[in-house]
Structures are given as structure tokens and as C-alpha cells.
Amino acid sequence: MCTKAKVSLAHLLCNWRTKQTAHIIGHLYTVPAREQGNIYKPNNKAMADDVGEKQVYDAHTKEIDLVNRDPKHLNDDVVKIDFEDVIAEPEGTHSFDGIWKASFTTFTVTKYWFYRLLSTLFGIPMALIWGIYFAILSFLHIWAVVPCIKSFLIEIQCISRVYSIYVHTFCDPLFEAIGKIFSNIRINTQKEI
């Protein structure tokens, strides 16, 4: 009975932590519901819950929002260019209404389809290039930059101790003596009338 109570308590705590993690992760992206288990251990979700194993949420399996493709608003002020932002006719110099409408339609449709053509031709290669670039950047940061910084901080502690001993041994008495010399100087100012 006591062992079963411990298992139930561990099961409850594990479920609570998993829900909290899912709640925290849910702010970053919505966690896809997978009743059949996670991608690492499919079809054994019930067994994982019985054992008290926490679920693994992988960023590679998140679902993509096809409606809002800029959820972090990276390109709000950069590429939202409409016809009115580029071409405008001031009062007194207007073209024919049909020309204005045709220009608007031509600009909008050309921008729309040419962007689709470019993204079709270069989207996947550019995604591959940027994926490789950020993978290299992450790799260098994890395996080179952070260890170098940690190594530097460890080595600088030794240098800081030597520097501290040097300052306390040589500089402190010198500056203390100079301070005592200048502390006895008195300046009196008098105004002559």
C-alpha cells in the first residue's frame, strides 16, 4: 500500500510537471496532441504514464501555422509594401482612373506572383543555407565560444588573485602615504577688498 501511494504521488508529480512544461512551452508554440505517444516511443503512451516517464516535446515536430507566418512580427516594418507606399499621385496630377486601377492591379499581382516564383525557386535552397549557417553558429557557440569563455574566466581568477596581491602589497601603501601627505595641506583663501 505504501509503495503504491509513492508510485501514485510520483505519477501525479510527473503529470503536473509535464503539464507545467507543456504550459510553458505552449507560450513558445502549441504542443501537438499525440495520443499514440511521442515520436521517440510511439504507441506506448499509457506505459510511459504508468512508469512515471515524462513526455519529450520536440521542436522539430511542432505544427506550422499556415495563416500567421510571422508570429514574432520580424518583418512588420520591413517588407509590408503596398501600392500606396510606392506610387502616389498628389492633388492636381492624376492619371486616368482606368490607368490608376490597372497600375494598382499590375503592381499587386506582379509582386504577389513574382514573390511566389522566387520563393519556389530559392526558398528551399535558402532555407538549407540558413539552416546550415545557424547550425554552424549554434555548434560554434556551444562547443567553442562558451568553453573558451569559461576557460578564460577560470584562468582570469588566477591572474586576478596575483593582481590583487600586487595592488595590496605595492600600490596600497604608496597611495596611502601619498594620501597622508596631501591630507596635511591646508588652503586658505582670502578676498582682498
Side-chain angles (χ1 to χ4, degrees):
M1 182 74 178
C2 183
T3 309
K4 190 169 185 171
K6 286 181 183 177
V7 171
S8 297
L9 180 61
H11 179 71
L12 287 173
L13 286 174
C14 182
N15 280 343
W16 180 79
R17 275 200 326 246
T18 304
K19 287 178 185 175
Q20 291 300 320
T21 306
H23 176 69
I24 292 167
I25 292 173
H27 288 293
L28 301 176
Y29 65 90
T30 57
V31 180
R34 297 178 61 93
E35 290 300 321
Q36 69 273 18
N38 60 44
I39 62 169
Y40 301 106
K41 295 181 181 177
N43 300 324
N44 62 354
K45 184 176 185 283
M47 185 182 80
D49 287 342
D50 290 341
V51 176
E53 187 176 326
K54 67 179 185 178
Q55 292 178 337
V56 177
Y57 293 99
D58 189 7
H60 306 296
T61 60
K62 70 178 184 178
E63 295 194 22
I64 294 177
D65 186 2
L66 294 176
V67 176
N68 183 13
R69 296 186 184 189
D70 190 10
K72 295 184 181 179
H73 306 290
L74 296 176
N75 297 313
D76 276 353
D77 54 346
V78 180
V79 291
K80 276 190 172 180
I81 297 174
D82 292 326
F83 180 74
E84 295 85 11
D85 298 326
V86 177
I87 301 171
E89 292 182 336
E91 282 295 324
T93 53
H94 285 191
S95 60
F96 294 112
D97 290 344
I99 299 295
W100 186 252
K101 288 178 185 177
S103 299
F104 171 79
T105 305
T106 304
F107 177 87
T108 307
V109 170
T110 303
K111 185 183 93 163
Y112 177 77
W113 283 107
F114 198 71
Y115 174 79
R116 286 194 159 203
L117 176 69
L118 287 174
S119 62
T120 301
L121 294 175
F122 300 110
I124 293 176
M126 291 301 292
L128 178 70
I129 290 169
W130 285 114
I132 291 170
Y133 172 76
F134 282 110
I136 291 170
L137 195 66
S138 298
F139 175 81
L140 290 175
H141 183 77
I142 292 168
W143 293 99
V145 174
V146 172
C148 284
I149 290 172
K150 293 293 183 182
S151 171
F152 177 75
L153 291 175
I154 290 170
E155 293 163 3
I156 203 75
Q157 283 182 351
C158 179
I159 294 171
S160 72
R161 287 183 182 158
V162 171
Y163 178 75
S164 176
I165 291 171
Y166 169 78
V167 167
H168 288 307
T169 305
F170 297 109
C171 296
D172 281 355
L174 175 68
F175 290 121
E176 193 173 319
I178 293 172
K180 284 186 179 182
I181 290 170
F182 286 116
S183 68
N184 290 328
I185 297 177
R186 305 266 186 243
I187 298 177
N188 291 325
T189 57
Q190 291 180 348
K191 222 179 200 186
E192 292 185 18
I193 301 179

mmCIF file of all heavy atoms in Angstrom, residues 67-100:
data_model
loop_
_atom_site.group_PDB
_atom_site.id
_atom_site.type_symbol
_atom_site.label_atom_id
_atom_site.label_comp_id
_atom_site.label_asym_id
_atom_site.label_seq_id
_atom_site.Cartn_x
_atom_site.Cartn_y
_atom_site.Cartn_z
ATOM 1 N N VAL A 67 -1.499 30.291 -41.400
ATOM 2 C CA VAL A 67 -2.207 31.558 -41.529
ATOM 3 C C VAL A 67 -1.308 32.705 -41.079
ATOM 4 O O VAL A 67 -1.042 33.636 -41.828
ATOM 5 C CB VAL A 67 -3.519 31.533 -40.711
ATOM 6 C CG1 VAL A 67 -4.207 32.878 -40.759
ATOM 7 C CG2 VAL A 67 -4.436 30.438 -41.236
ATOM 8 N N ASN A 68 -0.806 32.631 -39.859
ATOM 9 C CA ASN A 68 0.085 33.660 -39.328
ATOM 10 C C ASN A 68 1.513 33.164 -39.488
ATOM 11 O O ASN A 68 2.028 32.434 -38.651
ATOM 12 C CB ASN A 68 -0.238 33.953 -37.863
ATOM 13 C CG ASN A 68 0.617 35.050 -37.298
ATOM 14 O OD1 ASN A 68 1.287 35.760 -38.033
ATOM 15 N ND2 ASN A 68 0.598 35.194 -35.993
ATOM 16 N N ARG A 69 2.173 33.564 -40.545
ATOM 17 C CA ARG A 69 3.514 33.061 -40.839
ATOM 18 C C ARG A 69 4.611 33.937 -40.253
ATOM 19 O O ARG A 69 5.779 33.663 -40.448
ATOM 20 C CB ARG A 69 3.694 32.929 -42.344
ATOM 21 C CG ARG A 69 2.756 31.900 -42.939
ATOM 22 C CD ARG A 69 3.032 31.661 -44.382
ATOM 23 N NE ARG A 69 2.041 30.742 -44.922
ATOM 24 C CZ ARG A 69 2.115 30.215 -46.119
ATOM 25 N NH1 ARG A 69 3.126 30.506 -46.899
ATOM 26 N NH2 ARG A 69 1.190 29.390 -46.544
ATOM 27 N N ASP A 70 4.246 34.999 -39.576
ATOM 28 C CA ASP A 70 5.218 35.857 -38.890
ATOM 29 C C ASP A 70 4.722 36.113 -37.468
ATOM 30 O O ASP A 70 4.374 37.232 -37.118
ATOM 31 C CB ASP A 70 5.384 37.166 -39.661
ATOM 32 C CG ASP A 70 6.530 38.004 -39.158
ATOM 33 O OD1 ASP A 70 7.317 37.503 -38.335
ATOM 34 O OD2 ASP A 70 6.647 39.167 -39.576
ATOM 35 N N PRO A 71 4.679 35.054 -36.627
ATOM 36 C CA PRO A 71 4.099 35.223 -35.289
ATOM 37 C C PRO A 71 4.919 36.127 -34.377
ATOM 38 O O PRO A 71 4.392 36.708 -33.444
ATOM 39 C CB PRO A 71 4.043 33.797 -34.741
ATOM 40 C CG PRO A 71 5.080 33.054 -35.493
ATOM 41 C CD PRO A 71 5.148 33.690 -36.844
ATOM 42 N N LYS A 72 6.215 36.271 -34.650
ATOM 43 C CA LYS A 72 7.056 37.131 -33.815
ATOM 44 C C LYS A 72 7.235 38.516 -34.429
ATOM 45 O O LYS A 72 8.026 39.311 -33.947
ATOM 46 C CB LYS A 72 8.416 36.466 -33.585
ATOM 47 C CG LYS A 72 8.272 35.185 -32.782
ATOM 48 C CD LYS A 72 9.595 34.574 -32.475
ATOM 49 C CE LYS A 72 9.381 33.297 -31.691
ATOM 50 N NZ LYS A 72 10.627 32.623 -31.366
ATOM 51 N N HIS A 73 6.526 38.793 -35.488
ATOM 52 C CA HIS A 73 6.492 40.104 -36.144
ATOM 53 C C HIS A 73 7.895 40.587 -36.522
ATOM 54 O O HIS A 73 8.265 41.720 -36.255
ATOM 55 C CB HIS A 73 5.789 41.131 -35.256
ATOM 56 C CG HIS A 73 4.426 40.691 -34.821
ATOM 57 N ND1 HIS A 73 3.373 40.600 -35.691
ATOM 58 C CD2 HIS A 73 3.968 40.272 -33.610
ATOM 59 C CE1 HIS A 73 2.307 40.164 -35.038
ATOM 60 N NE2 HIS A 73 2.644 39.947 -33.773
ATOM 61 N N LEU A 74 8.661 39.728 -37.189
ATOM 62 C CA LEU A 74 10.009 40.090 -37.619
ATOM 63 C C LEU A 74 10.000 41.068 -38.779
ATOM 64 O O LEU A 74 10.875 41.917 -38.894
ATOM 65 C CB LEU A 74 10.780 38.828 -38.038
ATOM 66 C CG LEU A 74 11.056 37.805 -36.952
ATOM 67 C CD1 LEU A 74 11.728 36.587 -37.551
ATOM 68 C CD2 LEU A 74 11.920 38.403 -35.872
ATOM 69 N N ASN A 75 9.016 40.961 -39.658
ATOM 70 C CA ASN A 75 9.016 41.749 -40.888
ATOM 71 C C ASN A 75 7.868 42.742 -40.962
ATOM 72 O O ASN A 75 7.424 43.085 -42.054
ATOM 73 C CB ASN A 75 8.971 40.807 -42.098
ATOM 74 C CG ASN A 75 10.193 39.935 -42.177
ATOM 75 O OD1 ASN A 75 11.302 40.410 -42.038
ATOM 76 N ND2 ASN A 75 9.993 38.648 -42.377
ATOM 77 N N ASP A 76 7.391 43.211 -39.813
ATOM 78 C CA ASP A 76 6.260 44.138 -39.836
ATOM 79 C C ASP A 76 6.593 45.451 -40.526
ATOM 80 O O ASP A 76 5.824 45.951 -41.337
ATOM 81 C CB ASP A 76 5.770 44.424 -38.414
ATOM 82 C CG ASP A 76 4.811 43.362 -37.929
ATOM 83 O OD1 ASP A 76 4.427 42.497 -38.740
ATOM 84 O OD2 ASP A 76 4.442 43.398 -36.740
ATOM 85 N N ASP A 77 7.741 46.028 -40.213
ATOM 86 C CA ASP A 77 8.048 47.342 -40.762
ATOM 87 C C ASP A 77 9.000 47.280 -41.948
ATOM 88 O O ASP A 77 9.360 48.293 -42.505
ATOM 89 C CB ASP A 77 8.651 48.225 -39.676
ATOM 90 C CG ASP A 77 9.852 47.573 -39.017
ATOM 91 O OD1 ASP A 77 10.045 46.365 -39.204
ATOM 92 O OD2 ASP A 77 10.592 48.289 -38.318
ATOM 93 N N VAL A 78 9.407 46.088 -42.347
ATOM 94 C CA VAL A 78 10.415 45.979 -43.391
ATOM 95 C C VAL A 78 9.797 45.760 -44.766
ATOM 96 O O VAL A 78 10.042 46.527 -45.685
ATOM 97 C CB VAL A 78 11.406 44.830 -43.068
ATOM 98 C CG1 VAL A 78 12.445 44.705 -44.144
ATOM 99 C CG2 VAL A 78 12.048 45.070 -41.726
ATOM 100 N N VAL A 79 9.002 44.716 -44.924
ATOM 101 C CA VAL A 79 8.562 44.337 -46.264
ATOM 102 C C VAL A 79 7.065 44.481 -46.498
ATOM 103 O O VAL A 79 6.584 44.008 -47.511
ATOM 104 C CB VAL A 79 8.997 42.884 -46.577
ATOM 105 C CG1 VAL A 79 10.480 42.793 -46.716
ATOM 106 C CG2 VAL A 79 8.492 41.926 -45.543
ATOM 107 N N LYS A 80 6.349 45.125 -45.626
ATOM 108 C CA LYS A 80 4.929 45.356 -45.890
ATOM 109 C C LYS A 80 4.806 46.580 -46.797
ATOM 110 O O LYS A 80 4.566 47.685 -46.349
ATOM 111 C CB LYS A 80 4.168 45.605 -44.587
ATOM 112 C CG LYS A 80 3.745 44.364 -43.882
ATOM 113 C CD LYS A 80 2.806 44.710 -42.765
ATOM 114 C CE LYS A 80 2.223 43.483 -42.155
ATOM 115 N NZ LYS A 80 1.319 43.781 -41.068
ATOM 116 N N ILE A 81 5.014 46.347 -48.072
ATOM 117 C CA ILE A 81 4.975 47.443 -49.041
ATOM 118 C C ILE A 81 3.781 47.237 -49.946
ATOM 119 O O ILE A 81 3.674 46.222 -50.631
ATOM 120 C CB ILE A 81 6.274 47.489 -49.859
ATOM 121 C CG1 ILE A 81 7.444 47.764 -48.930
ATOM 122 C CG2 ILE A 81 6.189 48.538 -50.950
ATOM 123 C CD1 ILE A 81 8.785 47.692 -49.591
ATOM 124 N N ASP A 82 2.899 48.187 -49.917
ATOM 125 C CA ASP A 82 1.728 48.167 -50.774
ATOM 126 C C ASP A 82 1.908 49.193 -51.884
ATOM 127 O O ASP A 82 2.860 49.973 -51.899
ATOM 128 C CB ASP A 82 0.462 48.471 -49.964
ATOM 129 C CG ASP A 82 0.127 47.353 -48.994
ATOM 130 O OD1 ASP A 82 0.386 46.183 -49.327
ATOM 131 O OD2 ASP A 82 -0.383 47.654 -47.904
ATOM 132 N N PHE A 83 0.966 49.195 -52.798
ATOM 133 C CA PHE A 83 0.999 50.115 -53.945
ATOM 134 C C PHE A 83 1.061 51.565 -53.470
ATOM 135 O O PHE A 83 1.823 52.374 -53.996
ATOM 136 C CB PHE A 83 -0.244 49.869 -54.803
ATOM 137 C CG PHE A 83 -0.335 50.752 -56.010
ATOM 138 C CD1 PHE A 83 0.493 50.533 -57.110
ATOM 139 C CD2 PHE A 83 -1.250 51.785 -56.063
ATOM 140 C CE1 PHE A 83 0.405 51.338 -58.232
ATOM 141 C CE2 PHE A 83 -1.338 52.591 -57.185
ATOM 142 C CZ PHE A 83 -0.507 52.367 -58.266
ATOM 143 N N GLU A 84 0.298 51.888 -52.432
ATOM 144 C CA GLU A 84 0.234 53.263 -51.934
ATOM 145 C C GLU A 84 1.544 53.699 -51.284
ATOM 146 O O GLU A 84 1.818 54.897 -51.163
ATOM 147 C CB GLU A 84 -0.905 53.420 -50.911
ATOM 148 C CG GLU A 84 -2.287 53.215 -51.489
ATOM 149 C CD GLU A 84 -2.694 51.753 -51.521
ATOM 150 O OE1 GLU A 84 -1.997 50.912 -50.906
ATOM 151 O OE2 GLU A 84 -3.696 51.432 -52.175
ATOM 152 N N ASP A 85 2.361 52.744 -50.837
ATOM 153 C CA ASP A 85 3.642 53.081 -50.223
ATOM 154 C C ASP A 85 4.705 53.423 -51.264
ATOM 155 O O ASP A 85 5.704 54.064 -50.947
ATOM 156 C CB ASP A 85 4.156 51.913 -49.369
ATOM 157 C CG ASP A 85 3.220 51.595 -48.220
ATOM 158 O OD1 ASP A 85 2.604 52.534 -47.684
ATOM 159 O OD2 ASP A 85 3.114 50.411 -47.859
ATOM 160 N N VAL A 86 4.482 52.989 -52.503
ATOM 161 C CA VAL A 86 5.494 53.166 -53.543
ATOM 162 C C VAL A 86 5.077 54.237 -54.537
ATOM 163 O O VAL A 86 5.867 55.104 -54.903
ATOM 164 C CB VAL A 86 5.742 51.826 -54.280
ATOM 165 C CG1 VAL A 86 6.738 51.991 -55.407
ATOM 166 C CG2 VAL A 86 6.215 50.769 -53.307
ATOM 167 N N ILE A 87 3.835 54.182 -54.983
ATOM 168 C CA ILE A 87 3.366 55.089 -56.026
ATOM 169 C C ILE A 87 2.210 55.912 -55.479
ATOM 170 O O ILE A 87 1.237 55.367 -54.947
ATOM 171 C CB ILE A 87 2.907 54.298 -57.271
ATOM 172 C CG1 ILE A 87 4.078 53.470 -57.805
ATOM 173 C CG2 ILE A 87 2.373 55.233 -58.343
ATOM 174 C CD1 ILE A 87 3.704 52.495 -58.879
ATOM 175 N N ALA A 88 2.339 57.232 -55.604
ATOM 176 C CA ALA A 88 1.284 58.129 -55.127
ATOM 177 C C ALA A 88 1.219 59.341 -56.055
ATOM 178 O O ALA A 88 2.243 59.858 -56.487
ATOM 179 C CB ALA A 88 1.563 58.569 -53.695
ATOM 180 N N GLU A 89 0.003 59.752 -56.358
ATOM 181 C CA GLU A 89 -0.194 60.934 -57.191
ATOM 182 C C GLU A 89 -0.748 62.054 -56.320
ATOM 183 O O GLU A 89 -1.800 61.891 -55.683
ATOM 184 C CB GLU A 89 -1.188 60.635 -58.323
ATOM 185 C CG GLU A 89 -0.668 59.670 -59.352
ATOM 186 C CD GLU A 89 -1.659 59.424 -60.481
ATOM 187 O OE1 GLU A 89 -2.882 59.611 -60.266
ATOM 188 O OE2 GLU A 89 -1.214 59.037 -61.563
ATOM 189 N N PRO A 90 -0.045 63.180 -56.281
ATOM 190 C CA PRO A 90 -0.552 64.291 -55.467
ATOM 191 C C PRO A 90 -1.762 64.948 -56.126
ATOM 192 O O PRO A 90 -2.072 64.696 -57.296
ATOM 193 C CB PRO A 90 0.640 65.245 -55.407
ATOM 194 C CG PRO A 90 1.441 64.933 -56.614
ATOM 195 C CD PRO A 90 1.224 63.477 -56.895
ATOM 196 N N GLU A 91 -2.435 65.801 -55.352
ATOM 197 C CA GLU A 91 -3.594 66.536 -55.880
ATOM 198 C C GLU A 91 -3.171 67.366 -57.083
ATOM 199 O O GLU A 91 -2.111 67.978 -57.093
ATOM 200 C CB GLU A 91 -4.186 67.465 -54.814
ATOM 201 C CG GLU A 91 -5.030 66.779 -53.785
ATOM 202 C CD GLU A 91 -6.285 66.163 -54.366
ATOM 203 O OE1 GLU A 91 -6.895 66.742 -55.293
ATOM 204 O OE2 GLU A 91 -6.648 65.068 -53.902
ATOM 205 N N GLY A 92 -3.980 67.343 -58.098
ATOM 206 C CA GLY A 92 -3.722 68.152 -59.293
ATOM 207 C C GLY A 92 -3.002 67.389 -60.396
ATOM 208 O O GLY A 92 -2.974 67.858 -61.532
ATOM 209 N N THR A 93 -2.389 66.260 -60.079
ATOM 210 C CA THR A 93 -1.719 65.469 -61.114
ATOM 211 C C THR A 93 -2.197 64.037 -61.013
ATOM 212 O O THR A 93 -1.518 63.177 -60.451
ATOM 213 C CB THR A 93 -0.183 65.516 -60.950
ATOM 214 O OG1 THR A 93 0.142 65.147 -59.623
ATOM 215 C CG2 THR A 93 0.380 66.876 -61.252
ATOM 216 N N HIS A 94 -3.385 63.796 -61.524
ATOM 217 C CA HIS A 94 -3.958 62.459 -61.507
ATOM 218 C C HIS A 94 -3.997 61.895 -62.915
ATOM 219 O O HIS A 94 -4.314 62.593 -63.871
ATOM 220 C CB HIS A 94 -5.392 62.500 -60.953
ATOM 221 C CG HIS A 94 -5.455 62.690 -59.477
ATOM 222 N ND1 HIS A 94 -6.610 62.544 -58.768
ATOM 223 C CD2 HIS A 94 -4.512 63.006 -58.554
ATOM 224 C CE1 HIS A 94 -6.385 62.773 -57.494
ATOM 225 N NE2 HIS A 94 -5.117 63.069 -57.348
ATOM 226 N N SER A 95 -3.694 60.618 -63.024
ATOM 227 C CA SER A 95 -3.837 59.942 -64.310
ATOM 228 C C SER A 95 -5.290 59.492 -64.459
ATOM 229 O O SER A 95 -6.114 59.689 -63.563
ATOM 230 C CB SER A 95 -2.884 58.747 -64.381
ATOM 231 O OG SER A 95 -3.182 57.825 -63.353
ATOM 232 N N PHE A 96 -5.595 58.863 -65.590
ATOM 233 C CA PHE A 96 -6.948 58.360 -65.785
ATOM 234 C C PHE A 96 -7.253 57.297 -64.744
ATOM 235 O O PHE A 96 -6.371 56.544 -64.322
ATOM 236 C CB PHE A 96 -7.107 57.771 -67.198
ATOM 237 C CG PHE A 96 -6.988 58.806 -68.277
ATOM 238 C CD1 PHE A 96 -5.895 58.804 -69.148
ATOM 239 C CD2 PHE A 96 -7.977 59.776 -68.451
ATOM 240 C CE1 PHE A 96 -5.781 59.746 -70.141
ATOM 241 C CE2 PHE A 96 -7.866 60.714 -69.446
ATOM 242 C CZ PHE A 96 -6.765 60.712 -70.296
ATOM 243 N N ASP A 97 -8.511 57.200 -64.357
ATOM 244 C CA ASP A 97 -8.907 56.236 -63.332
ATOM 245 C C ASP A 97 -8.611 54.796 -63.758
ATOM 246 O O ASP A 97 -8.163 53.978 -62.955
ATOM 247 C CB ASP A 97 -10.404 56.382 -63.008
ATOM 248 C CG ASP A 97 -10.701 57.680 -62.273
ATOM 249 O OD1 ASP A 97 -9.743 58.286 -61.754
ATOM 250 O OD2 ASP A 97 -11.880 58.070 -62.217
ATOM 251 N N GLY A 98 -8.833 54.496 -65.027
ATOM 252 C CA GLY A 98 -8.566 53.143 -65.524
ATOM 253 C C GLY A 98 -7.084 52.812 -65.460
ATOM 254 O O GLY A 98 -6.690 51.676 -65.120
ATOM 255 N N ILE A 99 -6.235 53.784 -65.793
ATOM 256 C CA ILE A 99 -4.788 53.578 -65.727
ATOM 257 C C ILE A 99 -4.367 53.358 -64.271
ATOM 258 O O ILE A 99 -3.544 52.489 -63.969
ATOM 259 C CB ILE A 99 -4.030 54.783 -66.333
ATOM 260 C CG1 ILE A 99 -4.388 54.968 -67.810
ATOM 261 C CG2 ILE A 99 -2.530 54.656 -66.136
ATOM 262 C CD1 ILE A 99 -3.946 53.812 -68.690
ATOM 263 N N TRP A 100 -4.931 54.139 -63.364
ATOM 264 C CA TRP A 100 -4.587 54.024 -61.937
ATOM 265 C C TRP A 100 -4.988 52.644 -61.409
ATOM 266 O O TRP A 100 -4.209 51.994 -60.701
ATOM 267 C CB TRP A 100 -5.268 55.143 -61.156
ATOM 268 C CG TRP A 100 -4.864 55.189 -59.713
ATOM 269 C CD1 TRP A 100 -5.625 54.845 -58.639
ATOM 270 C CD2 TRP A 100 -3.603 55.585 -59.180
ATOM 271 N NE1 TRP A 100 -4.929 54.999 -57.486
ATOM 272 C CE2 TRP A 100 -3.658 55.462 -57.793
ATOM 273 C CE3 TRP A 100 -2.412 56.025 -59.756
ATOM 274 C CZ2 TRP A 100 -2.601 55.763 -56.952
ATOM 275 C CZ3 TRP A 100 -1.351 56.339 -58.921
ATOM 276 C CH2 TRP A 100 -1.454 56.199 -57.539
#
